[in-house]
Amino acid sequence: MGQLLDFHVKGKIALITGAAKGIGRSCALALAEAGADIALGLRDVNRDNGVSEEIRTLGREVLPLQMDISEILQIKEAVSKTIEEFGRIDILINNAGIAPDNLIEDYTEEDFDKTVAVNLKGTYFTSQEVGKHMIKNKFGRIINLSSQAGFIALPTESVYCMTKAGISHLTKCFAVEWAKYQINVNAVAPTFVETPGTEPWLAQPDFKAEVVNNIKLGRVGIPQEVSSAVVFLASPAASLITGTTLMIDGGWTAV
């Protein structure tokens, strides 16, 4: 055996939730570039923002799926269709998430329930549904999208922070329970990244200046810096890594 394990995912089947834009889109394209065929979990199957065509251009197969992960039935149907089309799922990227902001004293029950339903409940039950098939195959790679917000307190983001902290601990629980099936479960925790979701915030000079001041490397991230780490965790090169959350935060939480 050589000293360098493979960093590609050639021949693998990957399902990515929230795949139409931002980090999810970047993960889908990066995994396709690294050799995987892709199932796209989309909140609206008719709006993939061109990512399906980009994946085909890379020479990979792609399956767009209706998959609002706050709906358990849609999770089950999307996973079933992926298995039917590709025969299996080797890699799951739990990317879908929402982040309504409000002061703690003003946070509504509706927004609380929606955030928990997508960020925590959706991640849990998507992993459960895919995991059933991975258990049969005695192989799997699950990568969850946590956040630096799961390790620090961000004003007006109490519920988002809570759910992202939950994802990091959920990652440990799944990793421990499923290790015997050779299913590796990890998470990545990005800082502020330039995406359509963060654009309104980062367009505010004072807000961006405060963010950059907290990021020790002195800049916000780009989606590829997250998706590259996701490909690593999905690859044979990360085969002994499970139950960890990889911080991709430019040093924000290092102090």
Side-chain angles (χ1 to χ4, degrees):
M1 179 184 292
Q3 296 305 303
L4 185 66
L5 295 176
D6 289 334
F7 284 80
H8 64 69
V9 289
K10 289 178 182 177
K12 301 300 184 184
I13 308 300
L15 169 62
I16 300 97
T17 68
K21 57 185 179 180
I23 291 172
R25 178 192 185 95
S26 184
C27 287
L29 292 170
L31 287 162
E33 190 173 342
D37 292 323
I38 307 296
L40 298 172
L42 304 165
R43 187 168 59 178
D44 182 349
V45 72
N46 297 309
R47 298 178 63 183
D48 76 348
N49 295 319
V51 67
S52 293
E53 187 55 38
E54 287 190 56
I55 291 169
R56 293 189 186 98
T57 300
L58 291 168
R60 309 313 309 170
E61 297 294 322
V62 60
L63 176 67
L65 298 160
Q66 177 60 42
M67 194 178 184
D68 179 343
I69 66 166
S70 67
E71 301 289 339
I72 301 298
L73 182 58
Q74 288 194 27
I75 292 173
K76 291 179 179 292
E77 290 178 346
V79 171
S80 178
K81 287 179 180 178
T82 304
I83 301 294
E84 182 180 347
E85 177 72 16
F86 292 120
R88 66 187 193 282
I89 299 173
D90 303 301
I91 300 163
L92 169 64
I93 313 301
N94 282 308
N95 167 74
I98 59 173
D101 62 291
N102 212 337
L103 296 169
I104 293 171
E105 61 267 30
D106 295 329
Y107 218 96
T108 66
E109 182 180 11
E110 180 182 9
D111 279 345
F112 183 101
D113 289 345
K114 283 181 179 178
T115 307
V116 172
V118 174
N119 295 5
L120 271 181
K121 183 179 178 181
T123 295
Y124 189 100
F125 283 101
T126 301
S127 298
Q128 180 195 72
E129 194 66 22
V130 173
K132 292 175 185 177
H133 298 279
M134 291 180 169
I135 287 169
K136 293 176 184 177
N137 295 331
K138 298 295 190 292
F139 177 85
R141 298 286 185 268
I142 298 174
I143 298 102
N144 299 319
L145 264 291
S146 181
S147 168
Q148 69 173 24
F151 296 83
I152 57 174
L154 296 177
T156 76
E157 297 287 355
S158 58
V159 180
Y160 179 74
C161 290
M162 176 190 74
T163 60
K164 290 303 183 178
I167 284 175
S168 287
H169 199 72
L170 173 155
T171 296
K172 291 183 178 183
C173 294
F174 275 69
V176 168
E177 195 162 331
W178 285 354
K180 62 186 176 182
Y181 304 114
Q182 300 303 304
I183 299 171
N184 296 50
V185 187
N186 292 293
V188 293
T191 186
F192 285 88
V193 174
E194 293 177 354
T195 68
T198 61
E199 184 177 4
W201 297 97
L202 296 177
Q204 303 172 38
D206 290 345
F207 181 87
K208 185 172 183 179
E210 182 179 357
V211 165
V212 170
N213 184 60
N214 281 295
I215 299 173
K216 301 304 178 280
L217 291 179
R219 62 176 178 83
V220 298
I222 59 174
Q224 294 92 325
E225 291 174 306
V226 182
S227 60
S228 294
V230 166
V231 172
F232 163 65
L233 289 172
S235 77
S239 57
L240 196 61
I241 301 173
T242 196
T244 193
T245 295
L246 176 60
M247 304 304 299
I248 310 175
D249 68 347
W252 187 316
T253 62
V255 295

